[in-house]
Amino acid sequence: MVLQKRLDYGFNGYQVPAIPRASRSARGRRGSFRQKVEDKQMCAFELLATVAGKLLQEKESSSDSSNASPGRSQQAIVKDNVKQEQQYEEKVFKVEPNEQGSSDETVLVSELESQGHNQSYSSKDFPIAQNDVSVGLSSDIDNADQSEKAGCAKTSTANNRNELGKFLKVERDSPGYGQSCEVRVVDRIGRQLEARSHKIGNLINGTVRDTFCSEDLMELDNKPPALVGSDSSIEVPKCKDNHIPRGSFPGFRDDEKVVSRDDDENSSGCTQPSTRNMKAFRPSPRLGDRRIRKLLASKYWKVAPKLKDREHSRTDMKLIFHNRKTCYTRQRSQRNSPFKRRKLFGQSSVLTSEGGISNVGISKSPEKGVDGDPAGAASRASSSVSGKKSSFQSRDSHVKLSIKSFRVPELFIEIPETATVGSLKRTVMEAVTAILGGGLRVGVVLKGNKVRDDNKTLVQTGISNDEKLDNLGFTLEPNPTHAPPPMHPEDPSFPVPCDTPHPVTRYPTTPALDSGMSDTSLYPPMTDLGNFIESDHDSVPSPTDSSADKTSQDSRALVAIPTMSMDALAVVPLHRKPRRSELVQRRIRRPFSVSEVEALVQAVEKLGTGRWRDVKLRAFDNAKHRTYVDLKDKWKTLVHTARISPQQRRGEPVPQELLDRVLSAHAYWSQQQAKQQVKQQNETCLLL
DNA sequence: TTTAGGG
DNA sequence: CCCTAAA
């Protein structure tokens, strides 16, 4: 039996792609990418942490002074806050101290430790934990000043708990897109800590996402599709040639140009319909072997029942259990069927719903927030949290904004009853990580309309107008650049929740639509599918976001980010003891394109079976995602495919001509191998 | 790390 | 595609 738990973080509606994860180091140069990805995780966490911290600050400053008494533990403060207002806890992931009672430093992280993860995390390493508990110190922040700074999330580290966080400030008269706009990082009294110029177009990437990912983003966003054209001949491995005494398969046409196939894009681009982007994001195939399905479904949004039990209420994760027996059993029973098994690939994925955009309640007055999403009730619940009145006086031509909250969509998690609490925790953690890890960007909504023109200044847009601030909202949006590829529309492996009360596969809807704002360019259409994309990472072929100019950088504005130590951040995921069964994500399925098959066949004709490394080097050296094992497997399936009737074949049809060559080459090389063995046997016999 | 095969 | 025994 499976229980489905609904987790309501009090956030709602943004979509986050799953986190591509390198399955193993030996698979090639994925380390760097993984690092980047995980950096992004941290970014997202940072963002959340900031919001949480900010809310805590405001909460505290608005509540009676007793909370701020220096003598009280931060934990106590937090708890009081939570106790006082249910909504409040929805802003924070977790506010209770870890069970070990070890102060307030470890929170979520402690769950990892208790599950056999050796690494110890401190709040320093874990932004969320850190912020959750540290904001209690914010009482020493001047309220007025703080509100002016609009987002000075206090951060603290294990070593320096009183260190003030930085925040970004966007100069009012920002130049247009493509030009630089100054972003100042200042402390609460306005001292400039950092100053740097950001291209406006990249501002969000450089701020909300994180300052440290911008490079990566630019790399992905701006790098023109690397054309690994067929003219880039591959160099045949040196000293390997003497390895080819066996000769080539007669049918091999050696005069053919040996090309370096980088069919990354081929397999990705060509097979990815442009509609892919309309389907919201495609969840990660599998988050582990556990039969756990996590999905986000805005349709399920409800105001989570308030738990009376204080202990429960201290956690902001509310679980609602439903029976999901059929789902589980079906998964198991289908496991051995290759055909049905395809459906399993996405079973435990985190899904996001079309309600993917979450409104950021930003307001001058507590009750006012931009709330365009259908989950209005829940939204209000969380956005109504406001402490004091924020002062938005535009002194020195700066716009001051106070973001009340971000909302996270509901999380659905399916986990066997027999699962341990620890695994549940990890599951939730993974879900959260998956949600946040895919990269987010911020959109700006003014009076219900999406502000798309990044070139406009705040003044022109009216954002500097105090009145309009009431109608200003931010949205968290998935970053298409990092979104995993949606499955083919017809792909049955698309994760379909089995028996959820409501259909969950509502991908076609654009998040923005659900939120009342249409943003068709939210998912830029694929550009030039024929292009080759360099893929030295495991990420899914991402749309070569050429249209990322407008919407993807909608909001260069005014979102504070916490100041975290990059080092600390980078550490967290890396130290997670990779429990293969749970953490290692299955590589995304990337069917071989015909051209890839062609290259493979040709290489095998030349080199024979049994030298897959050479085949790889020869024909797939640039296709980083094709390992020699993959090639060997593909050849295996090709042989099989060639032997079965065309009616039984599935997937993209391979030209019969190729299949014939497969059979020929296979027969030839099998014979050669047999001869080789006979020869060796004779030799050994002679020696004996 | 590669190969070779079963899953 | 994954997992692994063997080489």
Side-chain angles (χ1 to χ4, degrees), chain A residues 54 140-152 164 167 169 187-191 388 391 395 400:
Chain A
K54 174 74 177 145
D140 61 352
I141 296 182
D142 175 83
N143 286 343
D145 188 32
Q146 178 191 345
S147 66
E148 283 186 2
K149 300 306 181 193
C152 179
L164 283 171
F167 69 95
K169 221 174 173 183
D187 64 13
R188 69 181 180 92
I189 60 173
R191 289 175 305 185
K388 56 183 169 41
S391 77
R395 195 191 56 188
K400 277 80 178 182

Side-chain angles (χ1 to χ4, degrees), chain A residues 140-401:
Chain A
D140 61 352
I141 296 182
D142 175 83
N143 286 343
D145 188 32
Q146 178 191 345
S147 66
E148 283 186 2
K149 300 306 181 193
C152 179
K154 184 183 179 74
T155 64
S156 69
T157 66
N159 296 327
N160 180 9
R161 301 187 132 274
N162 279 311
E163 175 186 336
L164 283 171
K166 306 170 189 174
F167 69 95
L168 298 182
K169 221 174 173 183
V170 179
E171 300 296 340
R172 179 178 186 172
D173 30 6
S174 308
Y177 177 82
Q179 302 177 42
S180 291
C181 132
E182 187 183 20
V183 175
R184 287 191 298 158
V185 180
V186 300
D187 64 13
R188 69 181 180 92
I189 60 173
R191 289 175 305 185
Q192 180 161 318
L193 301 176
E194 286 179 33
R196 67 182 70 186
S197 282
H198 282 264
K199 291 273 192 181
I200 287 204
N202 296 319
L203 193 51
I204 282 306
N205 292 342
T207 55
V208 176
R209 290 289 306 283
D210 46 8
T211 337
F212 42 105
C213 283
S214 51
E215 180 191 0
D216 180 30
L217 289 168
M218 295 184 64
E219 181 182 322
L220 292 173
D221 288 347
N222 303 333
K223 179 160 54 178
L227 296 179
V228 187
S230 51
D231 54 319
S232 63
S233 39
I234 196 177
E235 64 172 286
V236 179
K238 334 81 188 171
C239 81
K240 282 299 178 183
D241 279 335
N242 58 7
H243 240 328
I244 316 183
R246 298 174 252 178
S248 303
F249 169 63
F252 176 71
R253 287 158 286 186
D254 208 357
D255 56 332
E256 287 186 43
K257 182 159 53 176
V258 178
V259 300
S260 135
R261 314 298 285 205
D262 185 356
D263 282 343
D264 267 4
E265 32 335 287
N266 251 354
S267 60
S268 57
C270 293
T271 57
Q272 301 284 359
S274 58
T275 58
R276 46 175 295 186
N277 288 323
M278 299 303 293
K279 303 189 66 183
F281 93 92
R282 187 274 184 99
S284 68
R286 199 162 77 188
L287 284 185
D289 277 332
R290 284 160 303 140
R291 304 291 173 264
I292 297 170
R293 187 177 67 227
K294 300 157 243 172
L295 53 92
L296 302 169
S298 62
K299 292 278 172 70
Y300 295 92
W301 283 344
K302 305 162 191 162
V303 179
K306 302 195 176 184
L307 304 180
K308 291 145 199 165
D309 183 5
R310 171 177 173 167
E311 183 176 337
H312 285 177
S313 68
R314 287 204 337 241
T315 84
D316 48 22
M317 302 177 180
K318 295 152 195 134
L319 307 185
I320 295 176
F321 295 70
H322 300 288
N323 281 338
R324 283 290 172 272
K325 178 175 186 175
T326 52
C327 207
Y328 181 53
T329 52
R330 194 161 80 195
Q331 286 169 6
R332 298 199 72 174
S333 60
Q334 291 178 349
R335 176 145 178 75
N336 289 327
S337 163
F339 194 84
K340 298 171 184 172
R341 222 171 87 202
R342 298 181 61 198
K343 300 186 177 184
L344 277 180
F345 287 149
Q347 285 286 11
S348 58
S349 300
V350 175
L351 305 184
T352 57
S353 65
E354 72 277 23
I357 293 188
S358 79
N359 285 329
V360 178
I362 144 182
S363 58
K364 291 172 68 176
S365 53
E367 297 307 324
K368 284 187 180 178
V370 178
D371 225 331
D373 67 277
S379 306
R380 272 179 285 283
S382 57
S383 63
S384 64
V385 179
S386 79
K388 56 183 169 41
K389 273 178 293 179
S390 311
S391 77
F392 284 90
Q393 268 69 0
S394 295
R395 195 191 56 188
D396 64 347
S397 296
H398 287 167
V399 181
K400 277 80 178 182
L401 300 173

